[in-house]
Amino acid sequence: MAATLPRNAQVAEQFDLLADLLELEGEEQFRVIAYRRAADLIRSAAGPIARLALDGEAKKLPGIGKTIESKIVQIVDSGEIEALTKRKARIPSGVAEFLRLPALGPKTARRIWQELGITTVADLKRAAEAERLRTLPGLGAKTEERILRALAEKPQEKRTLLAAALPAVQAVVDVLREHPASTQVSEAGSVRRRTETVRDLDIIATASDPAALTDYLTKLRWVSEVEAHGKTKATVVSHDGLRFDLRVVPPDSYGNLLQHFTGSKRHNVALREDAVRRGLSVSEYGVKDVESGEVFTAVSEEELYERLGYQWIPPELREGAGELEAARRGELPKLVEVGDLRGDLHMHSTWSNDGKNTLEEMVHAARDRGYDYVAVTDHAHYLREGRFQAQWDEIAELAPRLEPFRILRGVEVSIRADGSVDMSDDDLAGCDWVMASLHSAFDKSPTERVLSAMENPHVDCLGHLTARKLNRRGGADLALDRVFEKAVDTGTLIEINSQPDRLDLRDVHARAAAEAGVQLVISTDSHELGALAYMELGVAQARRAWLTKKQVANTRTWRQLLKLKKP
Ligand code: DGT
Ligand code: CA
Ligand code: CA
Ligand code: ZN
């Protein structure tokens, strides 16, 4: 029975843990990456993966082979992947938790465990306080400080990535719209505000027969658990672990309720306080004039905001960060849109070992999205020994056939521990577009390294600046004000990376960058065709950062962009 099968999220968790433990054991990186990738695929798979694995169908999914399928079957049979059970016996569970600390990579975590015999987070804390970690060569006071700081923060719950939440909520909204009892259905809550991660997915609806609609939701095929079920409310959990919260509301106050359940809480609190000062009391059901007692309900949000004296505020801005004041004055920015973008400036092909599609496939797909240009930015360290020239030859051969679409010859270089980048000036000089990114040693003077990379006259743009990974590790500890200042001084652009677990710069940082005068670039860092669509996520992040079209460099033609970037 479906109910006894493990959920996709539970299966994915085991592969993630297995990857962590293998990494701690110093296993080859490609194997670790394969399990992490499998975990991501399983988490976003459309059907119950355990069922597919039992039927021998899971291995037909891209990225899932026979080995992974058999491990999924092991979970169904015995509750756990055998390799995981074996490693759990060898590696203390506390050590795996070390990896959750942004200051600790797998190598360091392993040394702390094996060379200092530390096996619990509590002991790690004591050792850092007693300045005992610095007895290991290569570890210093800074790492100890960072570990203590990370431990002082309260552990964060795992939240669902927007990339998984968005298609899921849109699919459910569509399904509910088709039900004969529903009249209006909308996403609400954090997913409608396009926050980078969400706790649950909120949906509101109006219906001729509310109970029929909530009933319908609880009985959908993919529902694995019904947590709450009433006439106007239902909360269900899908087999992949997403929680949906549906509320059915009366049509005449749909605007009030949509506004309320879109949030954020901070936005709503600020809105209500502002209203009180004007003699109005706002609730999810209506706006009451305190003096006359008259209640105003709104069928749409536009009507509601107007009644309260504001411009309609795009959901992405509703975070209580100045949007009400701006909307009161009619000075909200016109936010950048997906359709404004003319090119993707960060993308990989099979020239990078982790790329899934050929350069030709990637470039064609970028053109098919309607862009004017794309930059091929494979990793410099895969382009040694003549491969860079060979890639150039391939581009030169392909380019004329696609004109006027333009293939930019780019590269992504890594910023080394000494602040230099891993490609020669000669090679960089031949590029149209150079991205520079931190890929390792995040705790080794990251600010100084990034500043020095920006001094490099060939470096056009910084990629995923802080190198954070959502739900995995925090970002490098950068002095962003200094980075932004240097970016303006040197004419270096900064990326908003659209990868679901990066979204780096994050919203508030991108806003600060733009306010400092930095030009931003929204790009996908695609390693496969499907990832080109992540542009939507980067644009959502940019909108949350209040960015207009003008503040995003790749809304320009390539010719205009050339004038903006380093010569
Ligand atoms: P999440 O689920 O943590 O990703 O974030 P939200 O914003 O979706 O939060 P959620 O699902 O708890 O509630 C949905 C919306 O309902 C929220 O954005 C604003 C509204 N709301 C919830 N609780 C309160 C509250 O205590 N006061 C006010 N004013 N609004 C609330
Ligand atoms: Ca929510
Ligand atoms: Ca909710
Ligand atoms: Zn990249």
Side-chain angles (χ1 to χ4, degrees):
M1 265 320 287
T4 63
L5 286 178
R7 286 211 296 264
N8 290 6
Q10 295 165 323
V11 174
E13 211 163 285
Q14 291 204 19
F15 281 99
D16 265 336
L17 183 57
L18 181 60
D20 285 350
L21 297 186
L22 290 175
E23 198 167 30
L24 276 170
E25 289 198 325
E27 180 66 67
E28 303 224 48
Q29 203 55 27
F30 75 87
R31 190 158 290 154
V32 173
I33 289 171
Y35 287 133
R36 292 231 167 93
R37 189 172 291 152
D40 286 344
L41 287 166
I42 291 166
R43 212 170 267 118
S44 59
I49 197 78
R51 178 84 267 149
L52 290 176
L54 287 178
D55 295 345
E57 297 285 321
K59 59 177 173 291
K60 293 183 185 156
L61 298 173
I64 309 250
K66 262 196 348 223
T67 319
I68 286 172
E69 180 174 89
S70 71
K71 288 184 159 55
I72 300 171
V73 173
Q74 291 167 8
I75 299 177
V76 178
D77 290 346
S78 65
E80 193 163 79
I81 302 172
E82 284 162 24
L84 181 59
T85 313
K86 218 163 73 189
R87 262 140 198 119
K88 274 181 164 176
R90 285 208 292 263
I91 304 172
S93 64
V95 176
E97 285 172 44
F98 294 177
L99 295 180
R100 302 275 166 255
L101 299 173
L104 278 190
K107 283 204 195 91
T108 314
R110 184 165 79 239
R111 291 178 58 207
I112 291 175
W113 161 36
Q114 295 188 334
E115 294 172 34
L116 297 177
I118 294 170
T119 56
T120 66
V121 173
D123 283 348
L124 178 67
K125 181 160 182 253
R126 273 189 286 276
E129 282 164 350
E131 305 184 345
R132 218 152 50 77
L133 298 181
R134 63 183 75 171
T135 58
L136 284 180
L139 283 197
K142 278 208 165 152
T143 310
E144 288 171 348
E145 253 169 57
R146 225 169 271 131
I147 288 173
L148 289 174
R149 214 177 320 137
L151 287 173
E153 284 167 19
K154 75 173 189 286
Q156 297 205 331
E157 46 158 355
K158 263 205 171 186
R159 292 170 55 95
T160 304
L161 298 180
L162 181 62
L166 201 50
V169 80
Q170 284 165 347
V172 176
V173 164
D174 285 345
V175 163
L176 295 176
R177 275 193 185 135
E178 273 164 30
H179 192 271
S182 77
T183 42
Q184 281 161 296
V185 186
S186 172
E187 53 177 353
S190 51
V191 73
R192 183 168 181 238
R193 304 196 310 278
R194 302 291 190 260
T195 57
E196 59 197 27
T197 60
V198 305
R199 184 181 52 87
D200 67 356
L201 298 152
D202 300 287
I203 298 176
I204 73 159
T206 59
S208 54
D209 181 353
L213 197 64
T214 53
D215 238 31
Y216 178 62
L217 176 69
T218 61
K219 297 204 170 96
L220 287 168
R221 173 178 48 79
W222 46 264
V223 168
S224 83
E225 228 174 289
V226 177
E227 283 194 348
H229 183 190
K231 283 200 184 75
T232 59
K233 279 188 200 181
T235 305
V236 302
V237 183
S238 71
H239 63 67
D240 46 4
L242 297 178
R243 176 175 284 100
F244 294 83
D245 220 358
L246 169 68
R247 268 160 229 259
V248 189
V249 304
D252 48 353
S253 54
Y254 181 70
N256 305 79
L257 281 142
L258 178 57
Q259 192 285 323
H260 173 80
F261 287 114
T262 296
S264 66
K265 210 182 260 189
R266 277 177 63 145
H267 173 84
N268 288 356
V269 167
L271 179 101
R272 287 174 184 201
E273 284 174 1
D274 200 18
V276 165
R277 286 192 288 272
R278 286 156 217 279
L280 299 170
S281 158
V282 176
S283 80
E284 52 264 59
Y285 304 109
V287 179
K288 187 161 131 191
D289 187 315
V290 177
E291 220 178 79
S292 69
E294 209 182 321
V295 175
F296 170 84
T297 59
V299 294
S300 73
E301 269 188 345
E302 284 79 357
E303 215 181 308
L304 175 63
Y305 279 107
E306 193 190 320
R307 172 70 180 81
L308 295 171
Y310 304 105
Q311 271 178 284
W312 178 78
I313 302 174
E316 295 94 328
L317 298 185
R318 300 185 197 169
E319 296 296 341
E323 71 278 11
L324 287 167
E325 296 79 350
R328 171 80 65 203
R329 296 191 305 265
E331 287 171 4
L332 286 175
K334 180 163 171 15
L335 301 177
V336 63
E337 292 170 12
V338 173
D340 292 333
L341 293 165
R342 308 185 83 137
D344 196 336
L345 291 167
H346 187 171
M347 182 209 84
H348 299 265
S349 70
T350 44
W351 285 93
S352 295
N353 278 14
D354 51 358
K356 292 266 208 16
N357 293 94
T358 64
L359 194 158
E360 180 162 1
E361 289 168 337
M362 292 301 289
V363 164
H364 271 108
R367 190 188 60 162
D368 291 347
R369 294 185 65 81
Y371 294 139
D372 299 341
Y373 51 88
V374 70
V376 178
T377 54
D378 282 304
H379 293 286
H381 64 269
Y382 294 122
L383 297 170
R384 309 222 183 289
E385 290 158 15
R387 284 171 54 83
F388 196 45
Q389 181 60 45
Q391 187 187 51
W392 194 342
D393 294 344
E394 184 178 331
I395 293 174
E397 204 264 320
L398 188 60
R401 289 193 267 136
L402 298 181
E403 279 170 7
F405 179 81
R406 183 161 186 148
I407 310 174
L408 303 168
R409 182 164 188 256
V411 70
E412 179 177 14
V413 293
S414 295
I415 304 174
R416 296 196 187 107
D418 66 357
S420 66
V421 300
D422 61 344
M423 183 172 258
S424 73
D425 278 347
D426 274 356
D427 281 342
L428 292 178
C431 290
D432 299 310
W433 178 254
V434 177
M435 303 278 310
S437 319
L438 287 175
H439 285 120
S440 60
F442 307 113
D443 55 345
K444 296 228 168 66
S445 19
T447 304
E448 301 310 321
R449 287 157 67 198
V450 166
L451 295 180
S452 121
M454 284 190 280
E455 297 279 5
N456 185 321
H458 303 299
V459 167
D460 295 305
C461 183
L462 297 173
H464 51 73
L465 181 59
T466 74
R468 71 167 177 170
K469 286 284 185 85
L470 289 168
N471 288 335
R472 296 198 69 80
R473 63 165 190 248
D477 192 7
L478 288 162
L480 289 172
D481 47 347
R482 292 174 63 203
V483 173
F484 297 157
E485 194 183 301
K486 175 73 81 184
V488 173
D489 287 350
T490 57
T492 312
L493 313 185
I494 301 184
E495 172 188 69
I496 293 178
N497 186 294
S498 310
Q499 288 288 310
D501 61 345
R502 287 195 186 271
L503 293 172
D504 184 8
L505 294 178
R506 54 165 303 182
D507 48 11
V508 289
H509 293 159
R511 187 174 174 191
E515 278 169 4
V518 176
Q519 274 284 326
L520 292 137
V521 163
I522 309 174
S523 49
T524 63
D525 195 1
S526 290
H527 288 70
E528 59 193 306
L529 295 179
L532 292 167
Y534 292 151
M535 195 61 98
E536 184 185 3
L537 304 175
V539 169
Q541 188 87 337
R543 291 169 64 84
R544 292 179 50 78
W546 293 55
L547 299 190
T548 61
K549 184 174 167 181
K550 259 176 94 172
Q551 291 168 314
V552 179
N554 55 323
T555 60
R556 292 174 174 74
T557 64
W558 179 243
R559 201 195 290 254
Q560 290 165 336
L561 210 160
L562 276 176
K563 287 189 221 143
L564 202 97
K565 74 177 203 68
K566 287 180 194 167

